[in-house]
C-alpha cells in the first residue's frame, strides 16, 4: 500500500515522480529506501487498463537522475500500455477458456469411465487423483451416505496419512462439515 505501484492501483491514473527525494507520498516508504539503495532518482508508473476497463497490471520505468517524461513519451507509453493490457486480458480469457475445456473434457471422460466400469470403486481412486491434479489440491475425501447407520462412510481418499484415514472412516451427519453438506445438499466453502 505504501508503494507507488500500490498508489497507482488505488488511484488509477499514472503516477509520475520527477525526483524521489522531493516526493511527499514516498517519505518513509520501502520504495524510497530501495530507490536510494539502488540509485533511482525518478520513476513513473502507468496502469495497464484493458479496453474493458480492467486493471491487469502496470508498467513502471525508473531513472538514475531526476527526470520528467515528455507528453510525446507519455502518449507512446499509453499506446504500449493499452496494447499490453489488451494482450494480457486476451491471454487470460484464452487461459480461462482452455481451463474450462479441460474441465469439461475431464468430466466427460470421468463419466464415461464410470459408466463403462463394472466395478466403479476400482476407478474412483484414479479418477479422483486426476481431479486432484486438475484442481491443484492436496487431498480429497469421497464419502457415501450409509443409510442404516445414519452416517457417512469414507469411500475413497488421497493425500492424508493412513492413521488419519482410519480416524475419519465414519462421520456423523450433523456433527461434521461433510455431513452437514450432505444433509443440506449444499456446498460448504471454508477458506481459512
Amino acid at each position: 500500500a505504501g508503494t507507488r505501484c500500490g498508489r497507482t492501483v488505488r488511484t488509477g491514473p499514472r503516477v509520475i515522480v520527477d525526483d524521489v527525494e522531493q516526493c511527499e507520498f514516498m517519505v518513509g516508504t520501502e520504495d524510497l529506501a530501495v530507490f536510494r539503495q539502488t540509485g533511482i532518482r525518478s520513476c513513473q508508473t502507468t496502469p495497464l487498463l484493458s479496453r474493458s476497463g480492467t486493471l491487469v497490471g502496470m508498467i513502471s520505468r525508473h531513472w538514475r537522475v531526476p527526470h520528467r517524461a515528455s507528453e510525446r513519451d507519455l502518449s507512446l507509453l499509453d499506446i504500449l500500455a493499452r496494447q499490453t493490457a489488451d494482450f494480457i486480458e486476451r491471454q487470460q480469457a484464452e487461459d480461462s477458456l482452455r481451463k474450462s475445456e479441460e474441465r469439461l473434457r475431464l468430466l466427460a471422460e470421468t463419466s464415461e469411465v464410470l459408466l463403462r466400469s463394472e466395478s466403479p470403486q476400482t476407478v474412483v481412486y484414479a479418477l479422483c487423483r486426476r481431479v486432484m491434479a486438475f484442481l491443484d489440491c492436496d487431498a480429497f475425501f469421497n464419502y457415501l451416505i450409509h443409510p442404516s447407520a445414519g452416517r457417512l462412510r469414507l469411500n475413497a481418499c488421497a493425500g492424508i496419512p493412513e492413521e488419519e484415514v482410519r480416524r475419519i472412516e465414519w462421520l456423523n451427519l450433523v456433527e461434521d462439515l461433510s455431513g452437514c453438506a450432505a444433509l443440506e445438499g449444499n456446498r460448504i466453502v471454508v477458506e481459512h
Side-chain angles (χ1 to χ4, degrees):
T3 67
R4 73 203 159 347
C5 292
R7 183 178 177 91
T8 299
V9 169
R10 285 191 317 278
T11 62
R14 175 184 357 256
V15 174
I16 298 173
V17 179
D18 297 338
D19 187 344
V20 297
E21 297 297 339
Q22 305 299 316
C23 180
E24 290 180 20
F25 74 79
M26 290 187 73
V27 173
T29 65
E30 188 178 319
D31 265 3
L32 182 58
V34 170
F35 286 173
R36 285 177 174 160
Q37 183 180 10
T38 58
I40 300 298
R41 283 294 302 269
S42 180
C43 63
Q44 172 272 310
T45 301
T46 299
L48 297 177
L49 291 169
S50 69
R51 293 186 197 280
S52 68
T54 303
L55 178 68
V56 295
M58 56 199 53
I59 296 175
S60 188
R61 302 183 307 161
H62 305 87
W63 294 267
R64 294 193 181 280
V65 296
H67 176 81
R68 177 83 175 166
S70 70
E71 286 304 316
R72 180 180 179 279
D73 286 347
L74 293 176
S75 293
L76 291 172
L77 185 61
D78 285 341
I79 293 169
L80 174 66
R82 173 59 56 85
Q83 291 173 341
T84 302
D86 288 344
F87 175 77
I88 290 169
E89 189 174 55
R90 187 172 53 253
Q91 286 299 119
Q92 289 173 339
E94 288 173 5
D95 290 347
S96 178
L97 181 59
R98 209 172 2 265
K99 189 79 166 172
S100 179
E101 288 171 350
E102 287 176 31
R103 181 179 162 272
L104 290 173
R105 188 171 32 259
L106 179 61
L107 288 171
E109 290 172 6
T110 300
S111 298
E112 180 185 353
V113 169
L114 285 172
L115 289 171
R116 281 188 294 130
S117 175
E118 294 192 19
S119 175
Q121 184 62 40
T122 60
V123 286
V124 166
Y125 286 99
L127 293 175
C128 287
R129 288 191 183 280
R130 284 187 62 196
V131 171
M132 274 179 66
F134 177 77
L135 296 176
D136 189 29
C137 64
D138 300 315
F140 84 87
F141 309 94
N142 174 236
Y143 283 95
L144 299 177
I145 294 178
H146 196 279
S148 62
R151 300 191 303 170
L152 294 175
R153 179 146 195 229
L154 188 61
N155 183 47
C157 65
I160 58 172
E162 189 59 39
E163 61 274 6
E164 188 67 13
V165 171
R166 286 188 296 277
R167 191 184 74 72
I168 63 169
E169 182 178 3
W170 289 94
L171 294 180
N172 292 324
L173 284 172
V174 290
E175 296 174 2
D176 298 293
L177 192 63
S178 296
C180 290
L183 274 178
E184 295 174 11
N186 292 318
R187 174 185 345 206
I188 298 175
V189 178
V190 180
E191 294 181 1
H192 191 287

